[in-house]
Amino acid sequence: MKELETNDNGRRDFIKTVALATVATAACGTLASSCSSKVAANEKVKLLSPDGEIVEIDSSYLNYQEHLAIVSKLEARQGIAGKKFVMVVDLSRCKDARKCISACQKWHYRPEDREWLTVKLMRDSENAPPYWFPKQCFHCDNPPCVKVCPVDATYKRQDGLVLIDNERCIGCKFCMAACPYSTRVFNWNEPEMPFDIQHAVSNPETNIPAKVGTVEKCDFCPDRARVGLLPPCVEACPNGVFYYGDENEDTVSNGDETLGFKQLIKDRAGYRFMEELGTKPRVYYLPPKDRQFPVERGYENLPDKIKARYKDAMEGTEK
Amino acid sequence: MELNKYQQEAFDKQRPVIENFGKKTWAWTIFFMAWILLGGYALYLQITKGHGITGMRDNVVWGLYIANFIFFIGISYAGAVISGILHILKVEWRKPIIRIAEMITVIATIIGPVYILLCVGRLDRLHHLFIYPRLQSPITWDVLAISTYFTGSVIFLYLALIKDFAIYRDAKLNIPKWKQKLYKILAIGYRGTHSQNRHIRISTNLMAIMIVPLAIIVHSVLSWIFGMTLRPGWHSTIFGPYFVLAAIYSGTGVLIMAMWVYRKMYGLQSYLTDKHFIYLGYIMMVLGAGYGYFTFSEYLTGWFASEKWESEVLEKLFNPAKYGWWFLFANVAGILLPIVVVALPKTRTPNLIALVSLFMVIALWVKRYLIIVPTLESPLLPMQDTRIEYVKYTATWVEWALTFGGIATFFLFFTLMSKFVTVIPISEFANKGTTAEQPVLNENEIASA
Ligand code: SF4
């Protein structure tokens, strides 16, 4: 709890500094999405007020401590009251730039090739053109993984997130077999992490340090949401593919624009992937209509190692 | 304890087996120990280096180990169901074979769960299963079911052993002191009084009635680990009965093989007769037909409806370049062969029945593998953007070493057990006051054996 206070103070200080006290307290205090930020090269951070006003401030004002377990384990089980996190993925903008992947891996101190977020090359039917399909954990409302866990190590919170307590997980991998979306990854070997991260206090919200013999996956970055930041994948995407936000407040943001969640789904015919499985995902997709990039654009620039992963699918599309 | 004529005969026959260990047994023990040691080394590596040294990866999260787990729990049905049901039905000819059957049960139930532990990434946290139990999880059901089942089988085996222990205790066997003491303790003061007999009889009947449903629960729950998921090839309503039937089937096969080995090794032709092989062969044939029926309806419906994911798995099973040959083997050796061999009077001989049992048991092991791996290799989402080496599962030497280690443990336990107790129960031949004053066999049958 102490850390939490420090954090609140830090945020309050910063808010005062940018003299947005009244508007922004409401914004950052309650709404993660409208308090978006983008860390640019010159360490300036963009902030978005609910009125759509963009304010740029120095990032050092963001007095927020990376990867401190900011809540207790109990709170990490309960979740953030009043929230219902959602993500909307705009398939028409993705070109497999893979910036989301590297940002995610970096933020969580995971090696580049143990992705929590993958980009599939999807093709719905023979005559349908292929498209890139980024996929992270869907944080299902009826999660098959949670149902099967024998020790309650993976659980569903009131704010919709499905998290894993990797200090409780026994590594039976049942949840991996149960997840129909192959979302989860296992620490097959002793994970390599920086010394201080390895000895950080473990918390399901931060997901560090990784532990050998346990399961992990995309966590929707609740630690960042608590301090009003968007997940790294959302921030890093150069094309604004990911929108992250709160269903209760009906807003989602990709860092550049903040939109009404329901309106967005309505306007763009948003859908949930494999609705028929009954898992009720919290991630929505916008169909790949009017695509901004041809599929090959993403493929050409990939390193050979990554290219090899799509080889079969790519060959199928050229015919 | 006083022995009647038939008991004395059976005891004299088997007395040397439990009295001296013998060079041959030593050789086998050392041979099995060598395999177990290799398995132990593999286990040591797996624990110290992590599961990375197995072939399991993010897509195929389970492999050989789970196949072994299902397999061993399956063969444990020999004692539970076969001897349980035969006991309930009061089938007289069961008497010489029940001990072998129950030994299979207990030993296989010890080894089976070890394999599920081998899949667990954090063995140091196993106690979490008890301090944070979650009743909704099929794994918790498994833990409860298997431990109950194991306890039940041990009691069932022990109840049938008490009288024999008393016989060994009183027989002045030429054996070391500790062994004599052990027999004395295990015989728990059995003297053959009327009330003692009655208690044993009632308890055995109760256990026989309990063990059958328990066994059915165990394999059903086990099958639900797969059936409860949303994966093609697993998410099937018949998985419970399918697994149960396959388990009884493979248990019968192992029982026949064990009978064959003991008959050869200890010259027990007069007790384990041709009739036993033929009767168990009939049971095997019926079970094989049932199992074949389940297999057929499972794959026919999947293939006919050809839903996208289901057909992906089926394609892997039918394609000769993938698992096609294995699938064919599993069905020919696992279904057709035993039925044909038992059905034709010409081939209905102990040797051939034992041989097809061997094939059938191997085929059923292969089948378990084919249930696990192809499904895990066929996730709902296309398996792209995953490391190439994660796409297909190939077991590493570590997994094979532990597999053979487990099989060697099974044989070793068996060898040691048969040196400790007589594989043919002695006291079963004619209990005073029951109708079984006759031996199980008549003279003609002994001659033909
Ligand atoms: S691997 Fe861990 S999180 Fe997954 S089901 Fe097993 S104990 Fe639960």
Side-chain angles (χ1 to χ4, degrees):
Chain A
M1 278 320 289
K2 194 151 182 268
E3 281 119 344
L4 191 63
E5 274 161 29
T6 337
N7 241 301
D8 269 355
N9 288 339
R11 211 159 60 219
R12 245 172 256 137
D13 288 346
F14 136 71
I15 288 161
K16 272 187 216 130
T17 320
V18 288
L20 266 172
T22 43
V23 213
T25 311
C28 295
T30 61
L31 182 62
S33 49
S34 57
C35 189
S36 73
S37 65
K38 281 229 161 186
V39 182
N42 56 4
E43 296 297 318
K44 286 278 183 222
V45 176
K46 270 191 217 159
L47 266 179
L48 191 80
S49 75
D51 318 324
E53 215 179 321
I54 291 176
V55 212
E56 209 164 282
I57 52 130
D58 200 277
S59 69
S60 57
Y61 282 117
L62 278 176
N63 181 13
Y64 134 71
Q65 299 201 277
E66 273 192 14
H67 285 310
L68 264 179
I70 51 175
V71 293
S72 70
K73 274 213 169 167
L74 187 65
E75 280 170 279
R77 274 192 177 260
Q78 289 164 342
I80 307 168
K83 295 269 180 189
K84 273 267 177 241
F85 292 107
V86 275
M87 180 104 69
V88 181
V89 182
D90 186 349
L91 295 177
S92 66
R93 296 186 188 175
C94 179
K95 63 162 192 175
D96 199 17
R98 303 180 82 77
K99 296 281 184 276
C100 51
I101 300 178
S102 28
C104 171
Q105 299 304 105
K106 201 167 152 231
W107 170 255
H108 294 102
Y109 295 93
R110 264 40 178 206
E112 193 71 6
D113 62 351
R114 287 248 336 275
E115 304 89 347
W116 285 5
L117 202 173
T118 53
V119 184
K120 312 266 177 200
L121 184 56
M122 293 288 256
R123 202 175 180 200
D124 295 338
S125 69
E126 265 167 50
N127 289 326
Y131 57 91
W132 296 108
F133 182 88
K135 186 209 60 138
Q136 60 282 75
C137 177
F138 288 165
H139 294 269
C140 307
D141 279 345
N142 182 18
C145 53
V146 171
K147 283 194 215 164
V148 298
C149 180
V151 294
D152 211 4
T154 186
Y155 55 86
K156 180 85 185 163
R157 316 199 303 179
Q158 56 170 332
D159 55 6
L161 301 197
V162 173
L163 295 186
I164 303 166
D165 181 351
N166 71 3
E167 287 194 313
R168 184 182 285 194
C169 170
I170 60 167
C172 65
K173 301 173 244 171
F174 197 2
C175 53
M176 299 180 79
C179 174
Y181 311 108
S182 323
T183 289
R184 294 170 165 243
V185 293
F186 192 72
N187 282 298
W188 297 98
N189 296 308
E190 192 65 57
E192 280 169 28
M193 307 204 125
F195 184 83
D196 51 331
I197 295 300
Q198 220 161 48
H199 293 85
V201 181
S202 163
N203 191 283
E205 285 206 352
T206 56
N207 256 303
I208 53 158
K211 300 225 149 119
V212 66
T214 63
V215 168
E216 57 190 38
K217 64 165 187 71
C218 155
D219 57 8
F220 258 28
C221 296
D223 51 336
R224 291 176 64 106
R226 276 189 198 270
V227 294
L229 287 175
L230 290 168
C233 53
V234 179
E235 287 190 348
C237 179
N239 306 318
V241 168
F242 302 96
Y243 292 83
Y244 181 78
D246 181 0
E247 192 183 328
N248 286 348
E249 290 196 27
D250 197 25
T251 38
V252 284
S253 164
N254 68 354
D256 292 328
E257 51 177 356
T258 303
L259 303 170
F261 165 67
K262 295 221 172 70
Q263 196 60 40
L264 182 63
I265 298 298
K266 191 177 157 210
D267 293 347
R268 303 277 308 274
Y271 69 99
R272 294 193 293 197
F273 186 65
M274 289 189 196
E275 184 77 56
E276 64 274 20
L277 290 179
T279 50
K280 303 190 179 145
R282 298 209 63 77
V283 173
Y284 290 74
Y285 284 93
L286 304 179
K289 185 175 172 283
D290 302 328
R291 259 164 283 169
Q292 297 189 351
F293 311 95
V295 157
E296 300 76 35
R297 269 277 286 286
Y299 186 66
E300 277 154 17
N301 300 327
L302 294 176
D304 286 344
K305 225 173 120 195
I306 303 292
K307 248 184 189 169
R309 297 177 174 187
Y310 299 108
K311 229 179 115 230
D312 294 345
M314 225 33 209
E315 272 164 11
T317 64
E318 273 153 21
K319 267 178 222 155
Chain B
M1 291 240 336
E2 261 180 46
L3 301 184
N4 64 31
K5 187 175 127 221
Y6 308 110
Q7 290 174 331
Q8 196 62 49
E9 235 169 58
F11 188 49
D12 290 343
K13 177 99 196 140
Q14 299 184 78
R15 191 178 176 133
V17 178
I18 50 173
E19 267 187 335
N20 38 53
F21 206 69
K23 277 211 183 80
K24 242 188 179 166
T25 321
W26 271 116
W28 279 115
T29 307
I30 290 167
F31 176 73
F32 295 141
M33 285 299 277
W35 278 104
I36 296 169
L37 277 180
L38 183 68
Y41 176 63
L43 179 63
Y44 166 77
L45 285 183
Q46 182 178 313
I47 289 175
T48 50
K49 298 219 162 129
H51 282 215
I53 60 167
T54 69
M56 297 184 281
R57 287 296 179 266
D58 284 349
N59 292 302
V60 184
V61 293
W62 295 330
L64 277 195
Y65 294 154
I66 288 279
N68 291 337
F69 171 56
I70 311 172
F71 176 76
F72 275 106
I73 298 291
I75 62 176
S76 80
Y77 273 41
V81 181
I82 295 296
S83 88
I85 289 182
L86 294 183
H87 181 96
I88 295 170
L89 298 178
K90 296 210 174 2
V91 177
E92 270 307 308
W93 58 264
R94 78 173 193 280
K95 289 189 169 168
I97 63 170
I98 52 166
R99 176 132 331 136
I100 300 181
E102 281 156 19
M103 270 158 57
I104 296 175
T105 301
V106 172
I107 296 171
T109 320
I110 295 173
I111 298 173
V114 172
Y115 281 106
I116 212 167
L117 296 184
L118 294 179
C119 299
V120 169
R122 297 296 299 235
L123 286 174
D124 53 325
R125 294 182 183 168
L126 268 191
H127 58 284
H128 287 192
L129 283 171
F130 302 100
I131 54 176
Y132 309 114
R134 235 182 119 256
L135 265 187
Q136 299 95 310
S137 166
I139 291 205
T140 314
W141 309 346
D142 248 334
V143 172
L144 293 175
I146 293 180
S147 45
T148 319
Y149 173 60
F150 175 68
T151 319
S153 330
V154 171
I155 296 174
F156 196 44
L157 171 70
Y158 179 63
L159 282 172
L161 269 167
I162 295 176
K163 291 179 187 173
D164 272 26
F165 281 135
I167 294 174
Y168 312 148
R169 176 195 62 196
D170 300 340
K172 306 230 162 32
L173 289 166
N174 181 22
I175 47 170
K177 265 248 158 64
W178 65 266
K179 217 170 156 185
Q180 252 159 6
K181 247 198 185 142
L182 201 58
Y183 284 143
K184 194 173 165 204
I185 296 170
L186 289 170
I188 47 170
Y190 178 78
R191 297 264 166 246
T193 65
H194 190 68
S195 91
Q196 282 178 333
N197 278 332
R198 200 174 138 257
H199 281 124
I200 290 185
R201 199 176 59 241
I202 294 174
S203 326
T204 313
N205 287 342
L206 274 179
M207 280 320 294
I209 291 169
M210 280 192 325
I211 204 88
V212 177
L214 252 180
I216 291 175
I217 291 171
V218 165
H219 234 59
S220 305
V221 169
L222 206 162
S223 79
W224 291 335
I225 288 192
F226 311 103
M228 299 273 181
T229 62
L230 293 166
R231 311 282 302 238
W234 286 1
H235 187 49
S236 158
T237 49
I238 67 164
F239 251 41
Y242 190 25
F243 269 52
V244 170
L245 198 74
I248 310 175
Y249 186 40
S250 63
T252 318
V254 172
L255 177 59
I256 293 175
M257 281 154 59
M259 275 163 46
W260 188 85
V261 170
Y262 278 129
R263 179 162 121 142
K264 263 251 135 65
M265 204 155 62
Y266 301 138
L268 298 172
Q269 277 84 350
S270 43
Y271 298 100
L272 303 171
T273 65
D274 287 7
K275 196 175 89 179
H276 287 111
F277 284 89
I278 290 168
Y279 282 3
L280 280 175
Y282 287 150
I283 294 182
M284 178 166 81
M285 183 174 75
V286 173
L287 291 169
Y291 168 73
Y293 164 66
F294 270 113
T295 308
F296 185 69
S297 65
E298 165 80 355
Y299 291 101
L300 177 76
T301 48
W303 169 81
F304 195 93
S306 67
E307 189 229 1
K308 179 180 162 214
W309 297 301
E310 198 75 36
S311 17
E312 244 168 62
V313 177
L314 288 183
E315 198 271 330
K316 290 198 168 86
L317 291 177
F318 295 164
N319 187 344
K322 287 170 183 162
Y323 295 100
W325 291 112
W326 287 112
F327 189 67
L328 191 69
F329 168 76
N331 290 323
V332 171
I335 300 168
L336 294 181
L337 207 57
I339 295 180
V340 171
V341 166
V342 180
L344 300 177
K346 262 213 153 142
T347 49
R348 204 186 297 144
T349 63
N351 285 344
L352 276 180
I353 293 178
L355 187 69
V356 288
S357 300
L358 174 69
F359 276 113
M360 179 268 275
V361 170
I362 296 174
L364 275 159
W365 185 90
V366 172
K367 181 68 206 295
R368 268 67 177 250
Y369 185 90
L370 292 180
I371 288 176
I372 306 302
V373 177
T375 285
L376 287 172
E377 283 178 354
S378 322
L380 301 194
L381 273 141
M383 214 194 277
Q384 297 158 5
D385 202 6
T386 176
R387 266 163 294 172
I388 303 295
E389 63 273 21
Y390 276 26
V391 173
K392 226 183 119 44
Y393 169 75
T394 329
T396 60
W397 77 267
V398 172
E399 289 163 280
W400 283 114
L402 277 159
T403 301
F404 286 112
I407 297 172
T409 315
F410 184 77
F411 287 138
L412 180 69
F413 275 5
F414 236 94
T415 316
L416 297 181
M417 282 280 271
S418 71
K419 286 287 160 188
F420 185 64
V421 297
T422 55
V423 287
I424 310 293
I426 293 163
S427 50
E428 291 289 338
F429 294 104
N431 293 324
K432 273 184 219 120
T434 68
T435 52
E437 275 298 327
Q438 291 177 339
V440 178
L441 315 159
N442 59 42
E443 301 298 326
N444 294 343
E445 272 169 327
I446 294 178
S448 72

CSV table of all heavy atoms in Angstrom, one decimal, chain A residues 26-37 83 85 224-231 244-246 249 251 253:
chain,number,residue,atom,x,y,z
A,26,ALA,N,-9.3,13.9,-13.2
A,26,ALA,CA,-10.4,13.1,-13.6
A,26,ALA,C,-10.0,12.1,-14.7
A,26,ALA,O,-10.2,10.9,-14.6
A,26,ALA,CB,-11.6,13.9,-14.1
A,27,ALA,N,-9.2,12.6,-15.6
A,27,ALA,CA,-8.8,11.8,-16.7
A,27,ALA,C,-7.9,10.7,-16.3
A,27,ALA,O,-8.2,9.5,-16.5
A,27,ALA,CB,-8.1,12.7,-17.8
A,28,CYS,N,-6.8,11.1,-15.6
A,28,CYS,CA,-5.8,10.1,-15.3
A,28,CYS,C,-6.2,9.2,-14.2
A,28,CYS,O,-5.9,8.0,-14.1
A,28,CYS,CB,-4.5,10.7,-15.0
A,28,CYS,SG,-3.8,11.5,-16.4
A,29,GLY,N,-6.9,9.8,-13.3
A,29,GLY,CA,-7.3,9.1,-12.1
A,29,GLY,C,-8.2,7.9,-12.4
A,29,GLY,O,-8.1,6.9,-11.8
A,30,THR,N,-9.1,8.1,-13.3
A,30,THR,CA,-10.1,7.1,-13.5
A,30,THR,C,-10.0,6.4,-14.9
A,30,THR,O,-10.4,5.3,-15.0
A,30,THR,CB,-11.5,7.7,-13.4
A,30,THR,OG1,-11.7,8.6,-14.4
A,30,THR,CG2,-11.8,8.3,-12.1
A,31,LEU,N,-9.4,7.1,-15.8
A,31,LEU,CA,-9.5,6.5,-17.2
A,31,LEU,C,-8.2,6.3,-17.8
A,31,LEU,O,-7.5,7.3,-18.1
A,31,LEU,CB,-10.3,7.5,-18.0
A,31,LEU,CG,-10.6,7.1,-19.4
A,31,LEU,CD1,-11.3,5.8,-19.4
A,31,LEU,CD2,-11.3,8.1,-20.2
A,32,ALA,N,-7.8,5.1,-17.9
A,32,ALA,CA,-6.5,4.8,-18.4
A,32,ALA,C,-6.3,5.3,-19.8
A,32,ALA,O,-5.3,5.9,-20.2
A,32,ALA,CB,-6.3,3.3,-18.3
A,33,SER,N,-7.3,5.1,-20.6
A,33,SER,CA,-7.2,5.3,-22.0
A,33,SER,C,-7.0,6.7,-22.4
A,33,SER,O,-6.2,7.1,-23.3
A,33,SER,CB,-8.4,4.7,-22.7
A,33,SER,OG,-9.6,5.2,-22.1
A,34,SER,N,-7.7,7.6,-21.7
A,34,SER,CA,-7.6,9.0,-22.1
A,34,SER,C,-6.3,9.6,-21.5
A,34,SER,O,-6.0,10.8,-21.8
A,34,SER,CB,-8.8,9.8,-21.6
A,34,SER,OG,-8.9,9.7,-20.2
A,35,CYS,N,-5.6,8.9,-20.7
A,35,CYS,CA,-4.4,9.5,-20.2
A,35,CYS,C,-3.2,8.8,-20.9
A,35,CYS,O,-2.2,8.4,-20.3
A,35,CYS,CB,-4.3,9.1,-18.7
A,35,CYS,SG,-3.0,10.0,-17.9
A,36,SER,N,-3.4,8.7,-22.2
A,36,SER,CA,-2.4,8.0,-23.0
A,36,SER,C,-1.1,8.8,-23.1
A,36,SER,O,-1.1,10.0,-22.9
A,36,SER,CB,-2.9,7.7,-24.4
A,36,SER,OG,-2.9,9.0,-25.0
A,37,SER,N,-0.1,8.1,-23.4
A,37,SER,CA,1.2,8.8,-23.5
A,37,SER,C,2.0,8.1,-24.6
A,37,SER,O,1.9,7.0,-24.8
A,37,SER,CB,2.0,8.8,-22.2
A,37,SER,OG,2.3,7.5,-21.9
A,83,LYS,N,-13.8,-1.2,-13.3
A,83,LYS,CA,-13.2,-1.2,-14.6
A,83,LYS,C,-13.7,-2.5,-15.4
A,83,LYS,O,-14.0,-3.5,-14.7
A,83,LYS,CB,-11.7,-1.2,-14.6
A,83,LYS,CG,-11.1,0.1,-14.0
A,83,LYS,CD,-10.9,1.0,-15.1
A,83,LYS,CE,-10.3,2.3,-14.6
A,83,LYS,NZ,-10.3,3.3,-15.6
A,85,PHE,N,-11.7,-3.9,-18.6
A,85,PHE,CA,-10.8,-3.6,-19.7
A,85,PHE,C,-11.1,-4.3,-21.0
A,85,PHE,O,-11.6,-5.5,-21.0
A,85,PHE,CB,-9.4,-4.0,-19.3
A,85,PHE,CG,-8.9,-3.1,-18.2
A,85,PHE,CD1,-8.7,-3.6,-16.9
A,85,PHE,CD2,-8.5,-1.8,-18.5
A,85,PHE,CE1,-8.3,-2.7,-15.9
A,85,PHE,CE2,-8.1,-0.9,-17.4
A,85,PHE,CZ,-7.9,-1.4,-16.2
A,224,ARG,N,0.4,-0.9,-15.5
A,224,ARG,CA,0.4,0.4,-16.3
A,224,ARG,C,-0.9,1.1,-16.2
A,224,ARG,O,-1.0,2.3,-16.1
A,224,ARG,CB,0.9,0.2,-17.7
A,224,ARG,CG,2.3,-0.2,-17.8
A,224,ARG,CD,2.7,-0.6,-19.3
A,224,ARG,NE,2.6,0.6,-20.2
A,224,ARG,CZ,3.7,1.2,-20.6
A,224,ARG,NH1,4.9,0.8,-20.3
A,224,ARG,NH2,3.5,2.2,-21.5
A,225,ALA,N,-1.9,0.3,-16.3
A,225,ALA,CA,-3.3,0.9,-16.3
A,225,ALA,C,-3.5,1.6,-15.0
A,225,ALA,O,-4.2,2.7,-15.0
A,225,ALA,CB,-4.3,-0.2,-16.5
A,226,ARG,N,-3.0,1.1,-13.9
A,226,ARG,CA,-3.2,1.7,-12.6
A,226,ARG,C,-2.6,3.1,-12.6
A,226,ARG,O,-3.1,4.0,-11.9
A,226,ARG,CB,-2.5,0.9,-11.5
A,226,ARG,CG,-3.4,-0.2,-11.1
A,226,ARG,CD,-2.8,-0.9,-9.8
A,226,ARG,NE,-3.4,-2.2,-9.6
A,226,ARG,CZ,-4.5,-2.4,-8.9
A,226,ARG,NH1,-5.1,-1.4,-8.3
A,226,ARG,NH2,-5.0,-3.6,-8.7
A,227,VAL,N,-1.5,3.4,-13.4
A,227,VAL,CA,-1.0,4.7,-13.3
A,227,VAL,C,-1.3,5.4,-14.6
A,227,VAL,O,-0.7,6.4,-15.0
A,227,VAL,CB,0.6,4.6,-13.1
A,227,VAL,CG1,0.9,4.1,-11.8
A,227,VAL,CG2,1.2,3.8,-14.2
A,228,GLY,N,-2.3,5.0,-15.3
A,228,GLY,CA,-2.8,5.7,-16.5
A,228,GLY,C,-1.9,5.6,-17.7
A,228,GLY,O,-1.9,6.5,-18.5
A,229,LEU,N,-1.3,4.5,-17.9
A,229,LEU,CA,-0.5,4.3,-19.1
A,229,LEU,C,-1.1,3.2,-20.0
A,229,LEU,O,-1.7,2.3,-19.5
A,229,LEU,CB,0.9,3.9,-18.8
A,229,LEU,CG,1.9,5.0,-18.3
A,229,LEU,CD1,3.2,4.4,-17.9
A,229,LEU,CD2,2.0,6.1,-19.3
A,230,LEU,N,-0.9,3.3,-21.3
A,230,LEU,CA,-1.4,2.3,-22.2
A,230,LEU,C,-0.4,1.2,-22.2
A,230,LEU,O,0.8,1.4,-22.0
A,230,LEU,CB,-1.6,2.9,-23.6
A,230,LEU,CG,-2.8,3.8,-23.8
A,230,LEU,CD1,-2.6,4.5,-25.1
A,230,LEU,CD2,-4.1,3.1,-23.6
A,231,PRO,N,-0.8,0.0,-22.6
A,231,PRO,CA,0.2,-1.1,-22.7
A,231,PRO,C,1.2,-0.8,-23.8
A,231,PRO,O,0.9,-0.1,-24.7
A,231,PRO,CB,-0.7,-2.3,-23.1
A,231,PRO,CG,-2.1,-2.0,-22.7
A,231,PRO,CD,-2.2,-0.5,-22.8
A,244,TYR,N,-7.0,0.3,-26.6
A,244,TYR,CA,-7.1,-0.2,-25.2
A,244,TYR,C,-8.0,0.7,-24.4
A,244,TYR,O,-7.9,1.9,-24.5
A,244,TYR,CB,-5.8,-0.4,-24.6
A,244,TYR,CG,-5.7,-1.0,-23.2
A,244,TYR,CD1,-5.8,-2.3,-23.1
A,244,TYR,CD2,-5.5,-0.2,-22.1
A,244,TYR,CE1,-5.7,-2.9,-21.8
A,244,TYR,CE2,-5.5,-0.7,-20.8
A,244,TYR,CZ,-5.6,-2.1,-20.7
A,244,TYR,OH,-5.5,-2.7,-19.4
A,245,GLY,N,-8.9,0.1,-23.6
A,245,GLY,CA,-9.7,1.0,-22.8
A,245,GLY,C,-10.6,0.3,-21.9
A,245,GLY,O,-10.4,-0.9,-21.5
A,246,ASP,N,-11.7,1.0,-21.5
A,246,ASP,CA,-12.5,0.5,-20.4
A,246,ASP,C,-14.0,0.4,-21.0
A,246,ASP,O,-14.5,1.4,-21.5
A,246,ASP,CB,-12.5,1.5,-19.3
A,246,ASP,CG,-13.4,1.0,-18.1
A,246,ASP,OD1,-14.0,0.0,-18.2
A,246,ASP,OD2,-13.4,1.8,-17.1
A,249,GLU,N,-16.5,2.7,-19.2
A,249,GLU,CA,-16.5,4.1,-19.5
A,249,GLU,C,-16.8,4.3,-21.0
A,249,GLU,O,-16.8,5.4,-21.5
A,249,GLU,CB,-15.2,4.7,-19.2
A,249,GLU,CG,-15.0,4.8,-17.7
A,249,GLU,CD,-13.9,5.7,-17.3
A,249,GLU,OE1,-13.6,6.7,-18.1
A,249,GLU,OE2,-13.3,5.5,-16.3
A,251,THR,N,-14.8,3.9,-23.6
A,251,THR,CA,-13.8,4.6,-24.4
A,251,THR,C,-12.6,3.6,-24.6
A,251,THR,O,-12.2,2.8,-23.8
A,251,THR,CB,-13.2,5.8,-23.6
A,251,THR,OG1,-13.1,5.4,-22.3
A,251,THR,CG2,-14.0,7.0,-23.8
A,253,SER,N,-8.6,3.8,-26.6
A,253,SER,CA,-7.6,4.7,-27.3
A,253,SER,C,-6.5,3.9,-27.8
A,253,SER,O,-6.0,2.9,-27.2
A,253,SER,CB,-7.1,5.7,-26.2
A,253,SER,OG,-6.0,6.3,-26.7
